[in-house]
Amino acid sequence: MATLYSTQCPSFFAYSPSSSSFSSSNLALLQRVNFSRRFLASKASLKSQPLSSQAPVNTQQHHGAVAAAVTPIENGTSHKQLKAELLSVMSPEESQGEADFEKDENESTVSITVVGASGDLAKKKIFPALFALYYEDCLPKHFTIYGYARSKMTDAELRNMVSKTLTCRIDKRENCSEKMDQFLKRCFYHSGQYDSQENFAGLDKKLKEHEGGRTSNRLFYLSIPPNIFIDAVKCASLSASSGNGWTRVIVEKPFGRDSESSAALTKSLKQYLTEDQIFRIDHYLGKELVENLSVLRFSNLIFEPLWSRQYIRNVQLIFSEDFGTEGRGGYFDHYGIIRDIMQNHLLQILALFAMETPVSLDAEDIRNEKVKVLRSMRPLQLQNMVIGQYKSHTRGGVTYPAYVDDKTVPDGSLTPTFAAAALFIDNARWDGVPFLMKAGKALHNKRAEIRVQFRHVPGNLYNRNIGTDLDRATNELVIRVQPDEAIYLKINNKVPGLGMKLDRSNLNLHYAARYSKEIPDAYERLLLDAIEGERRLFIRSDELDAAWSLFTPVLKELEEKRIIPEYYPYGSRGPVGAHYLAAKYNVRWGDLGTDIDQ
Ligand SMILES: NC(=O)C1=CN([C@@H]2O[C@H](COP(=O)(O)OP(=O)(O)OC[C@H]3O[C@@H](n4cnc5c(N)ncnc54)[C@H](OP(=O)(O)O)[C@@H]3O)[C@@H](O)[C@H]2O)C=CC1
Ligand SMILES: O=C1O[C@H](COP(=O)(O)O)[C@@H](O)[C@H](O)[C@H]1O
């Protein structure tokens, strides 16, 4: 039986996809064994920490455990047989871990409170992600979900609101509505002000009733505008923290507007929480292909040796959306595209892409390497930046609005809805390699991708067959984060036939063709990690400081000098200036749409 790495609930266990008939009780057992190993690992680290802080999972140990469970197990193996087999290979500590796990499962509970439950993000992303986790059996045995917001709602009204946004995966339609009903029964609502300790104490009382005297672990997801983060954190922490388990808070971006406001936010958060309790979310880190970046690089011999200035000419990080700020103009105008996308999502991808090999897969080891990259970078300069704003455009009889037509945007706003930038990492690996970023709203397509353009082949024997445009003949690795996830490598190839004609082709890993399983939403992975105390995909405060120090000077300059953005038509490819910026560094944007870019 071919054994591949595929997971049902990824954090817990792995099994062979070809063993779809593998009994669910056997799967559950494998899950338990892995979980008990993880539990042991986290228990070991708990001993040295105060109760209110986190118990980080040792990812290396976790991966070891997963690998252990991937050992081929024949279909038809009975549950009893399997349990006996697994118990026989467990060390005494692991058997104890298994017992502890069972005890812990029965004696502890996780309460997840979505603060701002009436809002857009909660409806669109958080509740659906929680349901997906529930469907996949990834939530703990005892869990309760609470919605908290000022709006008046009954439990039934919250359930009704949530039910409208729940969906089942295409490959998981079985018992879907039954599962939805079960999930909704575990969702409740508490109405309260964000700055009222009394209202949070009311929540605490209700949570305690659900927790029924078990060890209570509590996760608060702040899905509210940033101006009320601190009020909510203060009240949640003072009135609704767990008394005997962990308390964690997921904080949504924006984390400030610049270095100063971000530092002030961190300082205020730390009045009520330890750094270990703060989970700063950047949902791009939860995207499948971003998570895969390190796998691609560090587990394939062919990539890592090429991953430097010696072979890479430039790296491009591209984000585009084919819609404007519709409905979010009020928020957006205060931040703009540089803060909304570049300083966080694209910069995080850049750091992961460019970091040195971490000592291990532990969160701190990975985050240490990312910080080093950020701290090796030159702060962005105005001359390495182009900004744009979309204007109205009529196409096919339809008129698309300008950014400033949005009623929530002040007249004459200069806020960029598009930006392109050239960044540099001044370290031995990347010296002189331009990292180009481009992000925009209301462009011609919706896409997020990483493009790696390699150097020309020195003394290429086939130069004559390639023609004069050597750039077009160099290898390019494209990691398409979304939509239609894919990794493809552009290579030169001989066109079959008696002549010697070359063309460009793709070595193509197209996810939809290769994997039948639907890709989980980023929020699922991140919520699961927060519940498990895995911080690898969350932003540490020093990472945040380093990220802001790269962008703060240029953001201030743009605002102080009131730089006018280049206007581009809604639905276009963005300002021409982006091409001049790239040309300054001998780069051609890779997303111009060649015949082999699908
Ligand atoms: N929506 C998205 O796609 C994304 C959002 N984010 C971030 O997530 C967080 C939540 O976003 P989103 O759901 O869109 O936000 P919303 O504007 O929908 O706000 C969420 C809830 O907060 C309450 N609220 C809104 N404004 C105020 C206010 N001025 N004072 C007090 N309470 C208020 C409302 O609940 P009630 O009135 O019932 O109390 C509202 O339902 C924000 O930090 C946002 O930046 C990040 C990435 C994407
Ligand atoms: O953080 C944000 O991300 C979304 C894009 O997220 P995606 O997962 O749909 O690609 C963006 O629309 C929004 O402006 C920004 O705040």
Side-chain angles (χ1 to χ4, degrees), residues 112 114 117 119-136 139 145 158-159 161-169 176 179-180 183-184 187 221 223 518-525 527-528:
I112 302 157
V114 182
D120 181 57
L121 186 73
K123 283 185 260 190
K124 226 171 49 188
K125 292 289 184 184
I126 305 170
F127 285 109
L130 287 168
F131 171 62
L133 291 176
Y134 175 72
Y135 196 109
E136 303 263 5
L139 291 182
I145 296 173
L158 173 91
R159 287 171 190 163
M161 180 193 88
V162 168
S163 69
K164 291 185 183 139
T165 59
L166 301 186
T167 53
C168 282
R169 297 209 207 295
C176 187
K179 281 276 198 179
M180 278 186 192
F183 172 78
L184 290 169
C187 296
Y221 195 127
S223 182
E518 204 175 315
I519 293 178
D521 188 78
Y523 282 87
E524 293 172 37
R525 190 188 312 279
L527 273 159
L528 185 59

Side-chain angles (χ1 to χ4, degrees), residues 116 118-122 124 149-151 189 194 222-229 252-254 283 328 331 523:
S118 55
D120 181 57
L121 186 73
K124 226 171 49 188
R150 297 171 308 178
S151 303
Y189 185 74
Y194 301 107
L222 296 193
S223 182
I224 44 177
N227 57 320
I228 47 177
F229 281 173
E252 263 292 349
K253 67 177 244 275
H283 76 279
R328 289 186 77 216
Y331 150 81
Y523 282 87

Side-chain angles (χ1 to χ4, degrees), residues 500-542:
M500 179 49 74
K501 191 166 174 252
L502 303 194
D503 79 354
R504 297 256 282 158
S505 292
N506 283 339
L507 298 179
N508 192 0
L509 171 55
H510 182 213
Y511 273 49
R514 173 68 183 89
Y515 302 107
S516 54
K517 200 174 184 319
E518 204 175 315
I519 293 178
D521 188 78
Y523 282 87
E524 293 172 37
R525 190 188 312 279
L526 294 164
L527 273 159
L528 185 59
D529 279 357
I531 293 168
E532 293 186 346
E534 167 62 69
R535 281 177 209 77
R536 190 168 44 91
L537 301 178
F538 294 89
I539 317 292
R540 210 167 60 186
S541 69
D542 55 344

Side-chain angles (χ1 to χ4, degrees), residues 137-153:
D137 287 332
C138 291
L139 291 182
K141 185 168 158 193
H142 299 288
F143 77 92
T144 306
I145 296 173
Y146 256 88
Y148 185 103
R150 297 171 308 178
S151 303
K152 298 277 176 249
M153 251 191 276

Side-chain angles (χ1 to χ4, degrees), residues 181-343:
D181 291 344
Q182 288 163 4
F183 172 78
L184 290 169
K185 280 189 191 140
R186 297 174 80 163
C187 296
F188 302 87
Y189 185 74
H190 183 73
S191 167
Q193 300 294 322
Y194 301 107
D195 59 356
S196 164
Q197 285 192 44
E198 197 189 331
N199 293 164
F200 273 90
L203 172 72
D204 179 63
K205 194 161 167 260
K206 287 186 181 170
L207 291 178
K208 280 191 176 125
E209 282 164 21
H210 287 279
E211 288 159 357
R214 297 184 181 89
T215 303
S216 66
N217 297 312
R218 292 185 181 177
L219 178 66
F220 292 88
Y221 195 127
L222 296 193
S223 182
I224 44 177
N227 57 320
I228 47 177
F229 281 173
I230 299 303
D231 283 341
V233 164
K234 176 180 171 188
C235 296
S237 156
L238 298 178
S239 303
S241 276
S242 164
N244 58 1
W246 50 255
T247 300
R248 297 174 188 154
V249 180
I250 298 182
V251 188
E252 263 292 349
K253 67 177 244 275
F255 312 120
R257 291 188 80 245
D258 50 30
S259 293
E260 293 78 20
S261 52
S262 169
L265 175 67
T266 300
K267 195 171 165 210
S268 304
L269 287 174
K270 287 189 179 172
Q271 273 182 273
Y272 306 104
L273 301 168
T274 61
E275 175 68 20
D276 275 356
Q277 292 178 282
I278 307 170
F279 285 67
R280 295 178 193 83
I281 205 164
D282 183 316
H283 76 279
Y284 265 64
L285 290 181
K287 294 202 184 259
E288 185 63 37
L289 270 81
V290 176
E291 172 82 326
N292 190 45
L293 245 182
S294 299
V295 178
L296 187 72
R297 191 179 152 194
F298 298 124
S299 75
N300 291 297
L301 184 67
I302 59 165
F303 292 118
E304 184 52 20
L306 304 183
W307 224 251
S308 74
R309 64 192 300 278
Q310 218 178 334
Y311 296 102
I312 292 179
R313 233 177 346 134
N314 66 75
V315 180
Q316 304 177 13
L317 303 145
I318 301 173
F319 168 96
S320 66
E321 277 181 342
D322 54 3
F323 48 89
T325 54
E326 288 96 341
R328 289 186 77 216
Y331 150 81
F332 190 86
D333 200 68
H334 194 50
Y335 292 93
I337 198 79
I338 303 168
R339 294 182 178 95
D340 193 45
I341 302 292
M342 277 189 170
Q343 181 271 349

Side-chain angles (χ1 to χ4, degrees), residues 90 106 226 245 304 403 426 462 469 516:
M90 277 183 179
N106 290 324
E304 184 52 20
Y403 171 65
D426 290 331
Y462 292 98
D469 192 354
S516 54

